[in-house]
Amino acid sequence: MAGGAVDQSLLDLLPQIHALFSDPLRVISYKWLSRNFSVSSNDAKRLLQEFVNKNGTDLQVIYSVSGWLKNNPQNYCVKLTSGPKLEEARQAFKDSCSVQVYSIQASIPKDTAVLWNPEFVQAEELFNQPFDEENCLRDNRFCGVLNSFVKRTSSGKHVSSLPPKPINSAGAAAQSKPSIAPKKQFVTARQQDLPGLSSPKQGAGNKSEKDNSTVFDKAGNALVVKEPSVSAHANKNKAQNGKAIPGNGGSLSNMWGRASAKPKPPATTNSTASAIVAATADAQICEKEEAGADSSDDEQGIKYKRGSSSANDRKRRAVFDFSDDEEDDNIIRIASPELPKQHGLDPVTETAEDTEANPKNSENKDDLPNSVKDCSRGVDSEFTSECKTKSVSTVNHSGITLKEKSIDPPVNDSKQDSTAEPASTSPKRRKVLKTRIDDRGREVTEVVWEGEASAGDKTEKNVTTTAASGATLPSKPQPAANSDKSRAPSKAAGSKKPAKAGTKQGSIMSFFKKV
Amino acid sequence: MLELRLVQGSLLKKVLEAIRELVTDANFDCSGTGFSLQAMDSSHVALVALLLRAEGFEHYRCDRNLSMGMNLNNMAKMLRCAGNDDIITIKADDGSDTVTFMFESPKQDKIADFEMKLMDIDSEHLGIPDSEYQAIVRMPSAEFMRICKDLSSIGDTVVISVTKEGVKFSTSGEIGSANIVCRQNQTVDKPEEATIIEMQEPVSLTFALRYMNSFTKASSLSDQVTISLSSELPVVVEYKIAEMGYIRFYLAPKIEEDEEMKP
């Protein structure tokens, strides 16, 4: 925490922060601030500190406290804590812990997801920008980890596999090194894996990011302890590290995104671009997820957080498929049985499975060939998040195979989902993809979190997974029929009553006029 | 200044019980000719028109036309406090936002005043033309009530068909169907038990039984109900109120239509 030297140029931002803060629902985190004003995270933190110093009374501060725990000196802990509890939190740490402002807000949100939401939205926006546009996420300019051997370009040609040298302001600097290093290596490893594959796709990027964080978690597990009480925060912090650090990962994913874009027909580039963006956004979620998956059961806070945030942010995604022949009959698509191309398998997923699920994978490839081109964004997200779900349950990706997905009958599929789930650390919530055709004839893929509570969703769930599995199959008819069926009854139900009488209730107003 | 003294106070009680289910808030219009009400139900499918002529009141004073918005449930609550034989007097001052119901026991040994707050109600007053109906059925109101009640246990709608043979009420539902035919019958000892059908031409219309059942709440007002049907018009279910007026229910028929007609 550096109260001290804050540039005048930074101080000029204070009025703006004040203006932002006047929105009572807004959470201003240093990360958001940093991206928004293109200042470094450290500056952003100082800025927030400055703001707190000046207007400390009428705002709530969330601090991030990091350091070595007293009761568990082996573990480096990063903890988010609210202002009043700061001292208490500090007690748990050894002498020299670092305290920084994480965010300021008018009130402490009940749902920790709110803390993270604006950042996520922002990240999504940033990744949404065109490729040639530089932004702080693309070029990773504020990454806490710098390495002179790493050359950052937005096209991401170059990634060094040297262990990075962290200069993390979080005070975690030296300590976090070990956890980062393996991660980096892992990245490289993945990278080496990938070229062997026919056409690594953008999703691979995020996949590997995900993997990174998995490994990160694994490697870091020894080092980083997550306290249940603050697990959400801690994880978030970590994820945020993860996000910043694999800023490299970000450009990696860009690179892979490029690579995959090539085999696609030009028509699809649009959707590809958005796919990449979303994929990377997905990746962020993945990271968090992975982080959550590794930790213990008491991580439900984090699930909840993600659940709600995903509900907020990614409620609905319209997928416009601009690819060749289907362009004109989006609507017919609902029922048209032959759509193998539309839902071809995704190399991403292959890469996800490649190490452990090779035999199955090869079968997948059989399904694959002609479809690679056509992967729509929807499919990407489906798969990536499928993988996500899976990797949540089985961190190392074993046991999840697209093959299972595509071959199992839908019901089993969903069952399998749910059976796989208990194995995971979080039986309570899971990510489900809902693919449906909306009233405008577009295929909409929703990634939603479903909890146990929503028993009513279960049928929906089934349908969804059906759709998902159908998507991987070359034969579309099943989901189509399914969705048809699922809407047919409702329609029938709707029309039942009127139909029964074959009549419509007239209005008295149509007979008598107003005086 | 408004002062209406109704010796047969139970009539007003019955009127309220008859319409309060259909309409929750309504304007009572008082003029020199009488005390009236017109209101539609919330779905604008049915309309109730009430008239109590000035001559029916023992004392009727209405200095100027007055429209009093009342919540009918509240009004019914107050009227329930009146005995069946009580004389009810409705009083309101010009410009006042309350109405007073005064209940006098027949022996004049008990007088109760109930003051109720009025409310502002935007009501749409509809002009109801006098029409020739293709078929007019007069029948015992209890019979009609029984038919509606019975049919509503089987189906949601009733088809009322008038032919020269009589009037047929039919319905069908999941458990089956039902037809009830009432023939013309004027050869009864008591005129109130007669069933009289005046038919210009056969007519058959479909109505929601829910509303019909609601209308029959007025059966206690009159022994006879008059059902007037025309293929182009809402059905009119009319109960006479002693010699002083009527309560008429208008119900829009269900229109034969295919689903495609819907937007």
Side-chain angles (χ1 to χ4, degrees), chain A residues 6-313:
Chain A
V6 184
D7 287 351
Q8 188 54 41
S9 58
L10 286 176
L11 289 175
D12 292 343
L13 290 174
L14 278 178
Q16 293 192 56
I17 299 178
H18 211 278
L20 287 169
F21 184 72
S22 62
D23 176 354
L25 295 179
R26 190 183 281 274
V27 170
I28 307 175
S29 70
Y30 77 86
K31 205 188 316 172
W32 185 88
L33 203 62
S34 145
R35 291 184 199 146
N36 202 42
F37 294 111
S38 287
V39 297
S40 78
S41 299
N42 285 341
D43 286 342
K45 286 173 183 169
R46 287 192 200 107
L47 207 51
L48 282 180
Q49 182 63 46
E50 197 67 20
F51 187 78
V52 171
N53 291 343
K54 284 186 179 171
N55 312 282
T57 50
D58 53 350
L59 49 76
Q60 297 289 328
V61 190
I62 288 193
Y63 291 98
S64 108
V65 188
S66 50
W68 300 95
L69 287 176
K70 270 178 187 163
N71 59 1
N72 198 349
Q74 298 300 321
N75 295 312
Y76 190 81
C77 177
V78 181
K79 191 173 176 180
L80 292 194
T81 180
S82 60
K85 291 182 184 161
L86 178 58
E87 276 313 309
E88 187 187 328
R90 283 178 79 155
Q91 300 301 319
F93 286 87
K94 278 185 170 177
D95 306 332
S96 57
C97 65
S98 123
V99 179
Q100 295 160 324
V101 179
Y102 179 80
S103 65
I104 57 170
Q105 50 274 308
S107 61
I108 299 286
K110 280 183 185 157
D111 182 357
T112 48
V114 177
L115 289 179
W116 173 72
N117 240 342
E119 294 167 13
F120 176 74
V121 173
Q122 187 188 38
E124 211 168 38
E125 276 167 6
L126 287 174
F127 281 123
N128 247 328
Q129 292 175 351
F131 271 120
D132 44 355
E133 203 164 302
E134 292 278 311
N135 62 45
C136 58
L137 285 185
R138 285 273 161 65
D139 63 13
N140 200 28
R141 67 181 79 133
F142 300 125
C143 179
V145 181
L146 295 177
N147 187 329
S148 53
F149 294 102
V150 178
K151 194 179 169 189
R152 284 192 205 92
T153 58
S154 60
S155 51
K157 293 273 189 264
H158 220 74
V159 176
S160 165
S161 62
L162 287 178
K165 175 181 124 210
I167 35 172
N168 204 339
S169 68
Q175 291 83 359
S176 59
K177 192 172 181 178
S179 65
I180 291 164
K183 180 177 180 180
K184 282 288 179 183
Q185 283 155 357
F186 189 74
V187 173
T188 356
R190 299 299 297 184
Q191 216 181 344
Q192 283 155 0
D193 274 354
L194 285 167
L197 293 163
S198 52
S199 61
K201 285 182 55 107
Q202 70 278 16
N206 78 57
K207 186 62 199 172
S208 72
E209 267 190 35
K210 202 189 315 164
D211 294 346
N212 291 351
S213 55
T214 314
V215 173
F216 175 46
D217 270 38
K218 278 189 201 156
N221 245 354
L223 299 165
V224 181
V225 69
K226 291 155 211 143
E227 295 201 348
S229 65
V230 284
S231 56
H233 303 315
N235 268 311
K236 190 188 302 172
N237 237 9
K238 194 161 54 141
Q240 145 204 341
N241 277 348
K243 214 190 286 172
I245 292 160
N248 269 335
S251 58
L252 266 183
S253 76
N254 285 353
M255 183 180 80
W256 285 325
R258 292 278 155 93
S260 71
K262 276 173 207 159
K264 293 191 180 189
T268 58
T269 44
N270 261 351
S271 55
T272 322
S274 68
I276 292 163
V277 168
T280 42
D282 271 357
Q284 296 179 349
I285 288 193
C286 288
E287 289 176 354
K288 293 176 186 282
E289 218 161 350
E290 302 288 328
D294 251 9
S295 50
S296 54
D297 281 337
D298 40 32
E299 289 283 324
Q300 276 160 26
I302 213 172
K303 308 281 182 240
Y304 177 52
K305 177 188 72 178
R306 267 184 268 114
S308 61
S309 62
S310 67
N312 288 344
D313 295 332

Side-chain angles (χ1 to χ4, degrees), chain A residues 494-515, chain B residues 40 44-45 124-129 156 208 232 234 250 252-257 259 262:
Chain A
S495 62
K496 202 175 177 182
K497 279 196 173 173
K500 194 165 64 177
T503 54
K504 183 184 123 191
Q505 178 63 60
S507 166
I508 203 92
M509 304 280 281
S510 57
F511 296 98
F512 303 135
K513 295 218 168 68
K514 287 184 193 176
V515 205
Chain B
M40 275 183 289
H44 290 195
V45 169
E124 300 157 300
H125 209 90
L126 301 185
I128 302 172
D156 297 331
E232 300 298 316
Y250 296 82
K254 292 207 155 200
I255 301 157
E256 299 281 343
E257 200 179 50
E259 274 300 293
K262 277 186 177 177

Side-chain angles (χ1 to χ4, degrees), chain B residues 3-232:
Chain B
E3 201 171 290
L4 319 177
R5 183 176 164 91
L6 183 64
V7 177
Q8 212 179 335
S10 60
L11 284 184
L12 195 59
K13 287 167 63 110
K14 288 175 187 167
V15 165
L16 257 292
E17 294 302 324
I19 59 177
R20 69 179 181 87
E21 195 174 275
L22 203 62
V23 181
T24 52
D25 301 312
N27 282 319
F28 282 88
D29 300 311
C30 302
S31 69
T33 54
F35 186 70
S36 66
L37 170 149
Q38 191 200 82
M40 275 183 289
D41 80 303
S42 56
S43 54
H44 290 195
V45 169
L47 179 144
V48 55
L50 165 79
L51 175 68
L52 299 173
R53 280 185 284 269
E55 305 89 272
F57 293 89
E58 188 196 55
H59 170 71
Y60 191 99
R61 178 185 168 187
C62 181
D63 297 346
R64 64 181 68 187
N65 288 357
L66 189 64
S67 184
M68 296 184 292
M70 299 190 206
N71 178 297
L72 298 188
N73 280 315
N74 293 346
M75 185 180 177
K77 272 182 202 168
M78 293 202 166
L79 292 180
R80 263 178 240 146
C81 301
N84 274 335
D85 302 324
D86 283 1
I87 299 164
I88 297 179
T89 306
I90 303 171
K91 292 191 284 193
D93 288 324
D94 293 341
S96 163
D97 59 353
T98 58
V99 63
T100 303
F101 302 108
M102 189 174 79
F103 310 138
E104 297 168 61
S105 71
K107 292 179 191 168
Q108 301 288 323
D109 54 357
K110 177 183 158 194
I111 298 174
D113 273 299
F114 286 76
E115 192 179 75
M116 190 177 79
K117 291 173 189 158
L118 295 177
M119 50 198 290
D120 281 328
I121 298 167
D122 288 330
S123 70
E124 300 157 300
H125 209 90
L126 301 185
I128 302 172
D130 280 332
S131 315
E132 287 285 310
Y133 284 89
Q134 293 167 348
I136 297 172
V137 178
R138 242 175 300 162
M139 63 187 294
S141 60
E143 188 63 61
F144 180 61
M145 179 165 72
R146 176 69 195 265
I147 289 168
C148 290
K149 185 172 145 257
D150 289 349
L151 294 188
S152 64
S153 62
I154 292 166
D156 297 331
T157 58
V158 58
V159 181
I160 303 179
S161 319
V162 183
T163 61
K164 54 182 185 283
E165 290 175 21
V167 56
K168 184 172 79 173
F169 302 88
S170 32
T171 190
S172 68
E174 283 180 11
I175 60 167
S177 62
N179 293 291
I180 299 172
V181 179
C182 297
R183 294 184 194 284
Q184 173 137 316
N185 177 10
Q186 288 173 279
T187 60
V188 286
D189 298 338
K190 301 172 191 168
E192 64 266 24
E193 287 173 8
T195 298
I196 300 162
I197 297 168
E198 299 168 24
M199 188 198 78
Q200 316 297 324
E201 50 187 298
V203 61
S204 178
L205 289 168
T206 308
F207 301 100
L209 270 170
R210 184 164 77 84
Y211 290 101
M212 285 293 181
N213 266 320
S214 175
F215 299 164
T216 59
K217 295 274 194 296
S219 295
S220 58
L221 283 165
S222 174
D223 292 331
Q224 287 261 307
V225 59
T226 306
I227 303 161
S228 308
L229 297 144
S230 255
S231 52
E232 300 298 316

